[in-house]
Each structure stands twice: as structure tokens, then as C-alpha cells.
Amino acid sequence: MPKQTVLKQILIWRAKHISKKQFVYLLSIIIGFTAGMGAVVLKNLTHFIQHLLEAKLIKNYHHAFYFLFPILGLTLVYLGIKYIIRNKVSHGIPSTLYAISKRKAIMKPFQMFGSILTAPLTVGFGGSVGLEGPTVATGAALGSNIARMFHMNQTTRTLLVGCAAAGAMSSIFKAPIAAIIFAIEVFSLDLTIASMLPLLLASLSAILTSQFFFGDDVILPFRIEDKFYLSDAPFYILLGVIAAFISIYFTEVYDRIQKLFDSLKSPIKKLIVGGTGIGLLVYLIPPLYGEGFDVINNLIVGNPEKALENNIFGLDLSNIWNVVLLLIALMLFKIVASALTFGAGGVGGIFAPTLFMGSIMGFCLSKIINHSGILSTPLSESNFTLVGMSGLLAGVLHAPLTAIFLIAELTGGYELFVPLMLTSTISFSITKYFKPHSVYNMELGRKGELITHDKDHAVLTLMDIDRVIETNFIVLYPKMTLEEIIQKAVKKSKRNIYPVIDKESKKLEGIILLDDLRSIMFDQSLYKEVTASDLMQKPPKVINLDKDKMTDIMKKFQDSSAWNLPVKKDGKYYGFITKSKLLTSYRRQLINLQAES
């Protein structure tokens, strides 16, 4: 039986026997399972490559492989994208946010496997990025395409993409509650009963899938041992402030390096510059190799020397200040290494680098305070390491609730809820003031294409500008006489406004309203004397299709009180937007957005 026929039979059966709500619940379970499987495949492939290379070649042969492997891995990624995938594999979570904001939650089929092929090569060969972003992108693409296959509308597609993201995070970290909060915070999903149950089902389905394949194995195998004391609160406040400024540093360095690589148009140049840069950094600072969870775990259990052993500088690790100095350098260079990996064409995520830097930040602060002799009772270095991760996650990702619940779930550390909340809130608040958009969404945010929890803004963002532009206006030229205007435009047009454009450049010169013609249109003595240039007036506002966002367009209508505004594209006249069509489109989008609420 043909595929289309089978699918049609399933859809007919579903319509007869299962309500739409129940079917969404079923799909969320399936999508949670597929997202979990995606995480399993990505993680296993990456760890297989790392074990094969690090264990066999680097340890048994030569340290110089630290320099060669990242370059080789990035080259394989470049060849895979060019000759196998044949489409650009964008960074995981930003590409998913773009799909939600501007593509009606539609993700292309190649995105279901693109990250699975490229992320393990990037990270396994030493690229200094994480697997969380590619895992979320893979799950989101699976969710989007499954939703499309069963003809789900845009709102349901968006919800199922969020379910996939929750499933991916749940599977990776085995933190189902944090995964749900992540989907709500990062993807700006509405927290309603209609969305909550599918997210729960997807997160549960994914973590069961992960448990089946990985058992009780977790990324951070640690349980809280030290209690939180109220006297430590000022130091957690200080940690929050430091986390904010490290978050700003993280975002600024990442942004500047990405802009630098954007100026290199050739992918080969990007590969050479980025590959050489990351290879050199990993050779000089081996702990930058890969995700870095080994370093995090060593810090949590109070064993930083193991994370820094065989350092190329030959510093004495029995001296605590040497350890702190090396760790701070490691923290500052981690984002440089990550940005170089992305710039060279690598595929990965920033979640792991953020946890990496946050753990070092928290550990170093507590270590410095403890060895300064200002306290009679030392601070818990493991607690500060954990809370440091939360603080940096809150600042870099602009997701404080995700940061709090993730660390709490990973470590069973609900006793640390107060310091987690304190540090994360301070870090997020300060970072948000200086950096309005997170690393995930700063490009979309600058363009005004980011979905937020602001319902009005979300509706405007989801609206398609091209669909509200009308082009069936009869154009006039400056030298056309009144007679020509009446014969060629007024008699033939159903509109009451006429654009006047330059015949050569096609630039908009002005507009003529039917009201401007009423008093003279029957005076034949003026037919040859009056021209369009005499009658035209400057439009109250002009919409620039290349720059204006939908929010800008709405504001121009509001400020001008106009009913029709001309549109230009590439400096040329393009058409008109009418207020009635704009408001109709807005109302329709609002209804669609609320349909599942």
C-alpha cells in the first residue's frame, strides 16, 4: 500500500476514534521517545569517537594529536555538510528559535539528521562545544516533521517542537522538570494546561528512553553533602554579581568572534582560521578538549589538580594559587575555544561550555575566600561550584528557572534552593540590563524576529509581512497630465490612492489621493496643464521592507493615522499595506495562537 494511502487511513481513523487533544498527547509521547533516541545516538557516537582517539592515540602516541584532531574533525564536518547533507547545519537552539519565529515552526527534513552526523565529529575530535544544542535541534526537527506529517496547525507544531526540546534535555541530563522549564523559558511557550501535559509526557517518555539505554549513568554523579548557612548568603550574592559580569564577557566574546568569522566569506578560510585557532588552544590547554564534564566533576569533588595534570606550563599544582591561576585562564579561554569551533563550521551547543565556565568560577571564588583567611569556617567549595554553574546559566541563557531546577535535579540538591535562587536571580538581572538578549536569541532579537511571552509581540512576530502587502495599485509618473491620470488610473482603478514613481529608477516620488483630484477632475481646462508632480504629496510614512519589523509597521500606522502606507524594497516602490488587511491578519494570527490555549 502506498505511503500516502497508509497515512490517509491513519488520519481518517484518528478523526473517527481519537480527539485532537488525545492525539496531541500521543504525539508528544512519540516525540519524547524520538528525541530521547536522538540524544542516545548523539551521545554514544561522540563518546565512541572520543574514546577511540583520546584513549588510543593521544595517550599512547603523542600529545601533538591535541592540535591535529580538532582540525581533522572540523574538516570532516565541512566535507559532510558540503557533499552529504548539502545544506547549512545551523547552531541547534538558535535555528529552532528561528523556525518558530519565522518559519511557522516548520523545520526542514535534513535537520533531523544533520546534527547527528556533524556534532559527534565536532565534539568527538575535540571541538570545545556541547551536545545539548544539536540534540535539541535534532529532536525539534523530528517533532516539527512528525507534526507536519499529521497535518497539525502552527500552534500545535510549535508546542510539539517544545515537547521535543524538553525531551532532548530530559534525556541528556535526566532532569525532567528542568527540561520542561527550559522549553517554556527558552522557546517562550505558554504555560497552560493544554501545553503542560504534552510537555510532561514528552519529558517522561524521553527520560525513560534514556534510562533504558544508559541506566543510572548521569552527567554529574554527585549528591549534596554540605548544608547552606545563612552566614554564607553575602558570598552567594557576590557570586551572582561575578556570574553576571562573566556572562557579559561570555556573550561579548562570542558575539565578536562570530562577527569576525562572518567577515570571512569563504568557508575554507573560516575552517583554516578557526581550526588552527582551536587546535592551538587545545594543544596548549588540553582540558578545553570536548565538552569538559570531566573537569566539572573533578572540581565538584574537590580534585582540581586532576583536571589540570600534565599542564604544558609545568606549574607546581601543590601551590593553590597556581591552581587558581590556571583555572581562571581555563575559564576565560573556554568561550574563545567554543566560538572558534563555531566559527570554523563546527556544530555544537553552548550549554556545556557555560556549565564548564560556571563551575570554575564558583570553585575559584570559594577557594580564594577560603585561603584568604577572612573566615573562621570555610565555605563549601562543592556547593559554590554547583551554584556557580547555575549563576552562569542564568546569565548567559537568560533562563534563571532552568538554571535553578537543573542543578537542583542533577545533584538532588534541593537544600541549595536558596543560594541557587539568590545567585541566579542576581546574575540574570544584571546581565539582562547590559545584554537584553541571550546568546541563543541575540541575532533574532536584534531583528525583532524573536518570539517572547508578550502575546501582542508574539502575534506581530509570527505575522508574514509579504502576505499583507498589496501590489494591485496603478502607478503614475511625475510628467503624466491630469487627463492621463483620469483615463489611465481613476477610470480603471478601484483604489483611491495612486503611487507616483520615477520611470527610470522606480523610486517612490509621492502619492496622489482621490480626494486631491475631486475638485479639479471635471475641469477640462486643466487636463493638459496639471501634472502628477503638481498634485502629488509626500506620504505620511514609508515602510521599508528591508529594515522595518512588523512592530515598526504597526507603530507607523499608529503615528501617522494613515489607512494606506507605501512600501519600498531595495529603495524602489513595491506596493502598499492597508490598515484593514493588517488588522485582519493580526486578528487571524491571534485566533490561531489562542486556539490551543
Side-chain angles (χ1 to χ4, degrees):
M1 188 180 290
K3 179 183 174 182
Q4 289 284 38
T5 306
V6 173
L7 181 59
K8 188 176 179 181
Q9 292 295 326
I10 292 172
L11 290 172
I12 292 171
W13 180 86
R14 194 277 296 176
K16 289 180 178 178
H17 298 90
I18 304 177
S19 70
K20 183 182 177 182
K21 186 181 290 188
Q22 291 171 330
F23 192 59
V24 169
Y25 295 160
L26 178 62
L27 286 182
S28 65
I29 295 170
I30 295 170
I31 286 168
F33 169 75
T34 58
M37 286 301 300
V40 168
V41 173
L42 266 166
K43 190 174 180 180
N44 280 336
L45 272 175
T46 304
H47 290 180
F48 172 74
I49 293 171
Q50 283 179 332
H51 177 74
L52 188 67
L53 299 180
E54 249 192 314
K56 302 292 182 183
L57 293 174
I58 293 177
K59 291 182 180 177
N60 296 345
Y61 290 91
H62 203 279
H63 185 80
F65 279 111
Y66 272 125
F67 173 75
L68 295 174
F69 283 150
I71 299 174
L72 178 59
L74 291 167
T75 303
L76 291 173
V77 169
Y78 169 75
L79 294 173
I81 290 173
K82 185 173 182 180
Y83 295 108
I84 299 174
I85 301 171
R86 298 183 179 180
N87 280 282
K88 183 182 177 182
V89 181
S90 302
H91 301 332
I93 293 172
S95 66
T96 307
L97 285 168
Y98 179 79
I100 291 172
S101 293
K102 303 307 294 179
R103 290 184 51 83
K104 304 183 187 300
I106 294 173
M107 300 183 74
K108 295 180 179 178
F110 80 86
Q111 291 175 285
M112 293 188 288
F113 61 86
S115 294
I116 290 178
L117 294 178
T118 54
L121 291 173
T122 301
V123 180
F125 276 83
S128 199
V129 290
L131 291 174
E132 299 77 21
T135 307
V136 169
T138 300
L142 286 163
S144 173
N145 282 277
I146 289 171
R148 285 181 69 195
M149 184 171 69
F150 290 105
H151 304 298
M152 297 289 106
N153 61 27
Q154 181 182 348
T155 306
T156 307
R157 273 200 309 272
T158 303
L159 173 60
L160 292 176
V161 166
C163 288
M169 293 299 290
S170 177
S171 179
I172 294 170
F173 290 108
K174 293 189 177 175
I177 303 302
I180 293 168
I181 295 169
F182 170 81
I184 293 167
E185 271 194 307
V186 175
F187 294 101
S188 295
L189 297 179
D190 286 332
L191 186 58
T192 63
I193 297 300
S195 64
M196 199 63 191
L197 192 53
L199 287 168
L200 278 167
L201 291 171
S203 186
L204 177 61
S205 174
I207 196 171
L208 289 174
T209 304
S210 180
Q211 289 272 17
F212 180 80
F213 286 97
F214 294 130
D216 294 327
D217 182 32
V218 290
I219 286 176
L220 299 176
F222 182 80
R223 287 293 176 267
I224 297 296
E225 296 173 357
D226 302 325
K227 292 182 178 180
F228 163 69
Y229 297 99
L230 187 60
S231 58
D232 296 340
F235 299 104
Y236 284 111
I237 291 172
L238 176 62
L239 181 61
V241 174
I242 294 172
F245 286 102
I246 298 295
S247 298
I248 293 166
Y249 165 80
F250 185 112
T251 306
E252 192 66 26
V253 169
Y254 177 86
D255 193 28
R256 291 192 180 193
I257 292 177
Q258 291 312 298
K259 285 177 179 175
L260 178 66
F261 276 95
D262 287 342
S263 66
L264 301 174
K265 301 302 179 185
S266 167
I268 299 294
K269 284 183 182 177
K270 292 179 182 180
L271 175 61
I272 293 170
V273 173
T276 305
I278 183 62
L280 189 61
L281 274 177
V282 170
Y283 175 75
L284 294 173
I285 315 174
L288 293 178
Y289 189 99
E291 293 177 283
F293 281 110
D294 288 343
V295 172
I296 296 172
N297 283 314
N298 283 322
L299 292 180
I300 293 173
V301 297
N303 194 7
E305 296 82 7
K306 184 170 176 58
L308 297 169
E309 61 186 358
N310 300 323
N311 69 88
I312 198 167
F313 304 103
L315 293 178
D316 179 15
L317 297 182
S318 62
N319 184 326
I320 191 60
W321 299 113
N322 283 342
V323 171
V324 170
L325 184 66
L326 284 172
L327 284 173
I328 290 174
L330 189 59
M331 175 185 70
L332 295 176
F333 278 106
K334 180 65 176 181
I335 181 54
V336 177
S338 299
L340 286 172
T341 304
F342 287 127
V347 176
I350 61 159
F351 214 97
T354 307
L355 291 173
F356 182 95
M357 291 174 65
S359 66
I360 294 175
M361 176 190 67
F363 180 86
C364 286
L365 178 63
S366 59
K367 194 65 117 173
I368 290 169
I369 292 171
N370 285 342
H371 281 76
S372 65
I374 61 174
L375 295 177
S376 56
T377 304
L379 299 173
S380 168
E381 292 174 2
S382 62
N383 285 1
F384 267 75
T385 303
L386 293 168
V387 176
M389 288 192 281
S390 175
L392 208 63
L393 275 177
V396 173
L397 273 61
H398 286 199
L401 290 175
T402 300
I404 293 165
F405 279 91
L406 178 66
I407 302 304
E409 278 195 283
L410 280 175
T411 60
Y414 288 93
E415 296 87 350
L416 281 182
F417 238 57
V418 172
L420 285 171
M421 292 172 68
L422 196 59
T423 300
S424 297
T425 303
I426 292 170
S427 175
F428 169 70
S429 301
I430 297 174
T431 309
K432 182 78 172 176
Y433 179 80
F434 290 101
K435 294 289 180 183
H437 303 291
S438 72
V439 171
Y440 284 149
N441 57 34
M442 57 187 173
E443 190 63 33
L444 287 173
R446 279 198 294 263
K447 294 178 180 177
E449 297 175 347
L450 180 68
I451 295 293
T452 70
H453 286 289
D454 181 338
K455 182 76 73 176
D456 184 59
H457 186 275
V459 173
L460 291 173
T461 303
L462 290 168
M463 287 171 63
D464 189 343
I465 295 178
D466 289 328
R467 291 198 173 188
V468 295
I469 297 175
E470 299 180 62
T471 56
N472 60 340
F473 288 78
I474 295 176
V475 299
L476 305 176
Y477 303 109
K479 293 182 179 180
M480 288 179 69
T481 63
L482 178 58
E483 183 180 14
E484 289 176 309
I485 293 170
I486 293 169
Q487 295 297 328
K488 295 182 178 180
V490 178
K491 283 187 176 181
K492 296 180 179 179
S493 176
K494 294 180 180 178
R495 302 287 189 172
N496 61 356
I497 188 170
Y498 312 98
V500 181
I501 68 170
D502 184 273
K503 205 164 190 175
E504 300 298 326
S505 65
K506 306 299 181 187
K507 289 184 178 180
L508 182 71
E509 298 287 331
I511 59 171
I512 296 176
L513 303 176
L514 187 58
D515 288 343
D516 299 329
L517 299 170
R518 290 187 197 281
S519 61
I520 61 170
M521 63 189 298
F522 298 111
D523 188 348
Q524 295 187 6
S525 64
L526 299 176
Y527 276 19
K528 301 295 184 184
E529 295 180 16
V530 178
T531 62
S533 59
D534 298 324
L535 296 167
M536 70 183 184
Q537 59 179 277
K538 186 179 179 182
K541 296 283 183 182
V542 177
I543 295 166
N544 188 341
L545 199 57
D546 302 315
K547 295 180 181 178
D548 288 344
K549 307 180 286 287
M550 191 61 82
T551 48
D552 298 324
I553 295 171
M554 278 290 195
K555 190 172 188 309
K556 285 184 176 182
F557 272 103
Q558 182 181 337
D559 293 344
S560 66
S561 299
W563 198 255
N564 303 280
L565 286 179
V567 180
K568 66 178 183 179
K569 183 180 181 181
D570 300 325
K572 299 176 182 179
Y573 165 76
Y574 188 71
F576 273 83
I577 292 179
T578 65
K579 186 183 284 187
S580 59
K581 189 156 188 176
L582 188 65
L583 294 176
T584 300
S585 178
Y586 176 89
R587 188 163 53 250
R588 187 180 298 118
Q589 188 64 58
L590 181 62
I591 292 168
N592 289 339
L593 197 64
Q594 292 177 331
E596 299 296 325
S597 298

